[in-house]
Every structure is written in C-alpha cells, then in structure tokens.
Amino acid sequence: MLRISAFRLLGRTGASRLSLLEDFSLRHYSSDPLGVRDDTRDARAYFTTPIFYVNAAPHIGHLYSALLADALCRHHRLRVPSAATTRFSTGTDEHGLKIQQAAAAAGLAPSELCDRVSAQFQQLFREADISSTDFIRTTEARHRMAVQHFWGVLKARGLLYKGLYEGWYCASDECFLPEAKVTRQPGPSGDLCPVSLESGHPVSWTKEENYIFRLSQFREPLQRWLRGDPQAITPEPFHHAVLQWLEEELPDLSVSRRSSHLHWGIPVPGDDSQTIYVWLDALVNYLTVIGYPNAEFKSWWPTTSHIIGKDILKFHAIYWPALLLGAGMSPPHRIYVHSHWTVCGQKMSKSLGNVVDPRTCLDRYTVDGFRYFLLRQGVPNWDCDYYGEKVVKLLDSELAFALGGLLNRCTANRINPSGTYPAFCTTCFPSEPGLVGPSGRAQAEDYALVSAVATLPKQVADHYDNFQIYKALEAVSSCVRQTNGFVQRHAPWKLNWESPVDAPWLGTVLHVALECLRVFGTLLQPVTPSLADKLLSRLGVSATERGLGELHFLPRFYGHPCPFEGRRLGPETGVLFPRLDQSRAWLVKTHKT
Ligand code: MSP
C-alpha cells in the first residue's frame, strides 16, 4: 500500500511507465486515432455542455453555458444542414458528496432530489429552446456501464493503483486542494475554519485508502497536445493558463472514495468498498452519450467540442485529456471556455440571496430576448455583470427599434403596397461605383453597406470559430445600423411608385434592404431562433433557403438571378420584437434584477 499526501506522491507501484509513454505519442493520437477520416470530422460535430449539479435549482449562469453550446451547435447546423451530422448533449451530474449532503440537508433520498432538480433543468432547457439531442443523467444504467468499462480500461493499462490519500477535500467543488490553496476564515461560531482560497467553500481533511490514477505521467503528453494544437482551448488566455499550470509537477490523482463515506455514486468494479470519484464519473458522460463502449462512439469522439465555464477548466483540460490518453483515446477536439455572470457586481450565491431565476427572465424578456441578451453581452474572456435595466435597454434598441423598425420600414403597406420583394435595378445600383451613370443613384456609403453585408457571414463564422459569439452579434448589429442608415439616406417614403424615374430606385432601395434583412435573419437563427423564423417567414424565405450554403447575398448586384425578386412577402404577423420599456417598465421597477 502507498501513502500519498495532498498532491505529493511518495511512492509508486507496478505498470511499465515507458511503454505507456510510447503509447502517448500525440502524433498518433491527433492524426487519426480512431480510424476516422478528416472529411467525416469536418461534417460531423458533437457539442457538449457541462452536466449540471442537482444540489440547487438552475440559475442564469447555467443557462448561459447551455446557450453558448446551443448557439455553436445551431451555427454548425446552418453550415452543414443534415441533422445526422450534429449531436448536442447536456444533462445532470447527480452523484457525489455534494449531492449526498444536499439531499440529507433537504431531508430527501438522493434519488428524489436528483429527479426533482434534473426535471427543472430539463424544463428550463425546453423553455429556452436549447436544441440538445440528448439529455444524460449520471444515475442512468447506460452511464454506470460506460464508467465501469472506462475504469476497467484504465486498470488494464496499469494506470490505477491503491494508495493512502491524505489531504483537503472540498465537497462543494468536489475537488482536492493542496495546503497552498486553503485559507482560514471565521465560521458561523466565530472559530477559524479552513476554506478553499478560490471558491471560499469549506474544506475538510481526508485520510483514506483510495485508488489513484497516474496523472503525473501525462504532463508531457498534455504539453505536447496543447503546443501542437494552439486552438485546442479557446479563447487563447485559457489555453495559456493551462500550459502555465503544466509548468508545475502534476501529482497523481485520487479517483475513488471509501463507500462508507460516499455511498451515492458508482462502485469501483470488483471493489464495493470504494465509490468512483464524481469527476471521473461525470466526465465520462461525454462518452456515454455517443454510445461508449460500443464502436459507434469512435466516429463521433474526434469531433467533440466541450463548452465549459472557467471554474471547471482544470478538470476538462488536464484530468479529462489525461484520462482519455490513458484509455487510449485522443483529447477532446476543442474546449471552449467562458467566464461567469455576476449580479449587480457580486458573485451569485444562495447565501447572498441574489440568484437570478432564468425562467422569470425568459418570461419577462421573452425567450429570444433573453437568449439575445446573454449571448450579446456575455464575453467569454471576462466576467459580466447582470442587471435588469441593461436587458431592457439592449433589447429595445437592437431588436425592437433597429431590427424590428427596419423590417417594418421595408414591408409596411404604405411603402411596399404590392407586398413583394421588388426588382433590383442594375443601372440605379451598378456593380462598381465607377459605372454609375446618369440614372445611377447609389452613393459611396451604399457600396460600403453592400460590402459589409457581403462579408458578414464569413465574419460571423470566424467569430463562432473563435468562440466570440458576442462579436458575431456585434457585427450583425452594426450592419443593421448601417442598413437603417441606408434606408434613412434614401427615404423611400419620399419616392413615388407611380413615377417612372423614382420607381426603379425605390424598388432597388427596398430590394437591398430586404436582402440585408434576409442575411440578418439567417445569421440570427442560432441565437434568436423564433424571431429569426418570424423575420425570414415575413420575407417569404422558405425552410430550405435558410442555410449558409443558400445565402448568396444580393445576387443581382453580382450579375446572377435572384430567386426572391418578385416573390410575395410572407404574411404580416405583428411586431417582430415588442418594446419592453413601455410594456414591462413596471416589472423592471419592481424587480431590479
Ligand atoms: N457538475 C459540474 C460539471 C461536470 S461536467 C463533466 C459542474 N456543475 S455546475 O452546475 O456547478 O456548473 C455547470 C456550468 O455552469 C459550468 O460551466 C459553470 O461554469 C457554469 N456556471 C456556474 N455558475 C456560473 C455563473 N455565475 N456564470 C456563468 N456560468 C456559471 O461544475
């Protein structure tokens, strides 16, 4: 038996270390570890959210994690429309000491608490239009089987050994902490109590015999992986942070608990006296969903993108890739990391009583409105602050006035009495500013608008690839402003359909504005699916014309036929987005958050 003391390994048994390290050649893993061709990888994509703890009801931070993943996944579907090429999983993390203790405190059996809170997450995600293809619960039999199989593989590869673990454990964060990460704070009785420096949650001293994973062997393979794939962890500062962590020794990791202490979990195969560490259990959910250990998982695994909050980076960027390498698999393809929401400048917490209920927000600001707010204002690199007035201001100015107003201006009966997509006149708006003849009306700013909207889909795609969804929305919003400027400049309401001089230009102004709106509607689908549907339906864009492959902005300008010219607009179904400052002002006053 070995003795391991808070992240310091004092001894080691068994397993040929050299042969394992040979196995961990990353060239081998990253090229085509599972026999999947790169073209399959490009078309397929598997997105995951973290699985959510069920100790308490969901809050807006949880919804934000899920929304980011949803927007990435929906954007991928716009690029590659076949449903069979995309998977998107979310779910609940139901085992471990944290849940066991929360259930005891609530006077419930752990399974009752899990059923109750898991149902709340499922309902929230349904209401928020999260388009997941799988919801996993770690208490399901399929998951228990996957975890136990994964454990067996690590064991067979000589990566688990038994040792005495002694150190601090934080049940709230479900993690071990070295002494340097622990501080003392006055507890409820005034005595100094040990707490985690990072989270402020209480820690307790643990000393027991556990199974230990040879994490220390993976420091160099992890460094090679990250140095060889600079986009593995995005945005870059998080990639850099992980490489910094890896500059230090990587201690072995305790991966089980005494069952007498932790009974709410998956037993170690062949040793009922031990329960598998909840993080190992939880991380394997990503494999369970794609059918692990059945062979089907192999075609999905190399396409995996994990979306996670910064607080769980170490688990996803160090423990998980090391466990995967240990089990003979490649690290995840991408790890996208986001920061946190605070509320009126403070961390959200039950004890501060400032937890924002996402369902109230969806109700108050509409589903699309709240989705838009979180994704437009949430910056992955930094924490963002939430307060209600900010939501109203943003939605009123960008969705109700700018976008809704633009649609209204181009489709209202008094300006567009025929209710169609008017024709584009190439002599009024020739393809090059130098060709503007006597009947030409287009000005330099109009060419700037066309060029901005033409490059918008690519810009947006690049921002999605860099996990900067707020920048994608900023770019769309800036083009909406530019288009409003275009309409304002040419004031179609002052032009006359009856005049042979005005009519072609009036039609052209409306045609260009409708084409811009078609691009905005298409690009907004991942963020505001219902609003985008309403917008595209009003423009008469059919369901098969809404992908990025079919977008082709302003084809007549580029000398191609336009399938929309002359087409009837869709039916008028009311305002695109309601103004909140009028309709809901009283709510904002009574609910500051
Ligand atoms: N159960 C683990 C994850 C296991 S994944 C194999 C867990 N659960 S959690 O419920 O605590 O957090 C789930 C997600 O919500 C994480 O990505 C976390 O960063 C995110 N958020 C929790 N609070 C948050 C904010 N205040 N703001 C934004 N996201 C936050 O960790």
Side-chain angles (χ1 to χ4, degrees):
M1 193 210 297
L2 291 172
R3 186 179 184 81
I4 183 167
S5 168
F7 284 84
R8 176 151 306 163
L9 180 67
L10 302 176
R12 190 178 273 139
T13 57
S16 148
R17 192 167 174 220
L18 238 189
S19 69
L20 285 168
L21 288 178
E22 275 162 13
D23 255 15
F24 301 146
S25 141
L26 281 162
R27 212 157 42 83
H28 169 73
Y29 283 104
S30 59
S31 60
D32 192 12
L34 302 165
V36 177
R37 292 195 323 271
D38 272 336
D39 51 348
T40 316
R41 176 181 302 192
D42 284 341
R44 283 195 170 190
Y46 170 40
F47 297 93
T48 72
T49 75
I51 47 171
F52 300 89
Y53 285 131
V54 289
N55 61 307
H59 60 57
I60 57 166
H62 301 133
L63 178 60
Y64 180 56
S65 265
L67 277 178
L68 286 165
D70 188 47
L72 279 186
C73 180
R74 285 177 183 267
H75 189 262
H76 179 81
R77 290 188 191 121
L78 285 187
R79 286 171 162 170
V80 185
S82 157
T85 60
T86 310
R87 292 179 84 155
F88 172 20
S89 78
T90 186
T92 40
D93 189 353
E94 305 190 1
H95 288 136
L97 207 53
K98 183 183 176 95
I99 309 304
Q100 187 177 303
Q101 289 175 349
L108 295 170
S111 64
E112 270 178 281
L113 179 70
C114 292
D115 288 347
R116 190 176 291 182
V117 182
S118 182
Q120 291 177 8
F121 274 98
Q122 292 179 54
Q123 178 160 2
L124 169 67
F125 292 164
R126 252 195 318 274
E127 285 175 12
D129 234 343
I130 302 295
S131 61
S132 48
T133 56
D134 203 317
F135 189 99
I136 179 161
R137 300 183 57 185
T138 52
T139 44
E140 288 174 57
R142 60 170 173 158
H143 179 65
R144 182 191 177 109
M145 208 259 283
V147 172
Q148 291 190 328
H149 184 91
F150 191 82
W151 180 279
V153 174
L154 294 179
K155 188 102 204 295
R157 297 183 71 140
L159 291 167
L160 301 176
Y161 65 94
K162 256 191 157 177
L164 188 69
Y165 183 84
E166 194 173 353
W168 294 106
Y169 191 76
C170 176
S172 278
D173 304 339
E174 293 283 18
C175 71
F176 300 101
L177 293 166
E179 187 62 47
K181 292 275 170 72
V182 173
T183 183
R184 269 74 185 166
Q185 269 178 7
S189 60
D191 295 346
L192 286 183
C193 302
V195 296
S196 157
L197 248 183
E198 242 165 58
S199 67
H201 294 139
V203 297
S204 56
W205 189 255
T206 313
K207 182 178 179 183
E208 57 181 53
E209 194 193 17
N210 296 147
Y211 286 92
I212 294 169
F213 171 64
R214 295 183 186 283
L215 180 64
S216 56
Q217 295 190 1
F218 293 86
R219 189 169 146 221
E220 283 174 20
L222 291 175
Q223 285 173 328
R224 280 206 298 281
W225 162 53
L226 292 177
R227 290 192 182 127
D229 186 355
Q231 286 176 320
I233 303 174
T234 301
E236 197 282 331
F238 296 109
H239 191 271
H240 181 76
V242 176
L243 275 170
Q244 288 286 106
W245 293 338
L246 289 170
E247 287 297 305
E248 300 200 354
E249 279 295 307
L250 204 52
D252 283 354
L253 177 70
S254 165
V255 285
S256 70
R257 289 291 84 83
R258 245 188 11 240
S259 312
S260 54
H261 179 55
L262 171 68
H263 59 82
W264 185 241
I266 300 177
V268 165
D271 184 354
D272 279 357
S273 73
Q274 294 276 317
T275 303
I276 295 176
Y277 175 39
V278 65
W279 266 102
L280 193 157
D281 168 342
L283 288 161
V284 171
N285 94 83
Y286 301 131
L287 294 175
T288 308
V289 165
I290 48 173
Y292 180 86
N294 296 329
E296 65 159 303
F297 91 92
K298 293 182 181 178
S299 59
W300 286 100
W301 181 247
T303 73
T304 303
S305 295
H306 293 317
I307 288 81
I308 59 160
K310 64 181 183 181
D311 54 321
I312 52 175
L313 180 58
K314 181 179 65 188
F315 301 96
H316 284 81
I318 294 184
Y319 297 174
W320 181 225
L323 288 163
L324 286 162
L325 288 171
M329 287 178 249
S330 53
H333 176 51
R334 288 279 171 273
I335 301 177
Y336 293 111
V337 190
H338 66 80
S339 297
H340 284 183
W341 282 92
T342 55
V343 173
C344 301
Q346 282 186 308
K347 195 174 163 174
M348 236 185 306
S349 88
K350 241 189 346 191
S351 51
L352 288 173
N354 64 351
V355 174
V356 181
D357 172 13
R359 290 180 62 197
T360 310
C361 296
L362 293 172
D363 213 31
R364 193 178 297 165
Y365 306 118
T366 76
V367 171
D368 282 306
F370 199 55
R371 287 176 64 107
Y372 186 81
F373 170 78
L374 286 181
L375 294 171
R376 171 80 168 90
Q377 293 284 309
V379 178
N381 301 44
W382 298 283
D383 286 354
C384 300
D385 198 34
Y386 176 84
Y387 53 94
E389 286 90 337
K390 198 149 115 183
V391 190
V392 174
K393 242 192 191 148
L394 179 87
L395 299 184
D396 276 352
S397 80
E398 295 195 355
L399 295 186
F401 291 120
L403 190 64
L406 180 62
L407 177 67
N408 196 36
R409 281 167 137 187
C410 307
T411 53
N413 191 45
R414 63 185 183 286
I415 287 188
N416 189 344
S418 66
T420 57
Y421 225 90
F424 177 86
C425 162
T426 47
T427 46
C428 298
F429 204 147
S431 59
E432 300 211 11
L435 302 176
V436 178
S439 50
R441 302 277 195 104
Q443 304 169 7
E445 293 102 311
D446 306 335
Y447 285 93
L449 168 71
V450 168
S451 142
V453 179
T455 53
L456 188 62
K458 165 83 172 80
Q459 253 191 64
V460 164
D462 289 346
H463 290 316
Y464 270 87
D465 287 342
N466 295 323
F467 198 46
Q468 302 288 331
I469 298 176
Y470 79 101
K471 284 194 186 168
L473 292 174
E474 203 168 76
V476 172
S477 172
S478 150
C479 282
V480 173
R481 269 198 307 278
Q482 246 180 303
T483 314
N484 269 315
F486 166 80
V487 174
Q488 194 66 30
R489 207 162 38 247
H490 299 298
W493 49 89
K494 291 189 186 157
L495 300 172
N496 184 355
W497 281 113
E498 305 304 322
S499 148
V501 181
D502 281 358
W505 178 235
L506 173 51
T508 303
V509 170
L510 294 184
H511 181 104
V512 171
L514 290 172
E515 275 293 275
C516 292
L517 276 164
R518 187 170 64 83
V519 172
F520 306 148
T522 304
L523 296 177
L524 284 173
Q525 290 175 99
V527 173
T528 52
S530 303
L531 176 141
D533 173 44
K534 191 167 182 177
L535 171 52
L536 293 171
S537 300
R538 178 70 174 120
L539 300 182
V541 181
S542 72
T544 54
E545 295 169 322
R546 297 179 179 190
L548 293 178
E550 295 76 52
L551 193 48
H552 312 301
F553 168 61
L554 205 57
R556 296 276 281 111
F557 178 79
Y558 299 99
H560 304 293
C562 171
F564 298 97
E565 217 168 47
R567 189 185 288 191
R568 279 213 73 72
L569 296 177
E572 153 72 17
T573 50
V575 290
L576 186 66
F577 190 82
R579 271 180 66 175
L580 297 169
D581 63 346
Q582 291 180 332
S583 55
R584 293 161 195 240
W586 65 274
L587 273 172
V588 177
K589 279 199 193 97
T590 47
H591 298 85
K592 276 288 177 212
T593 55

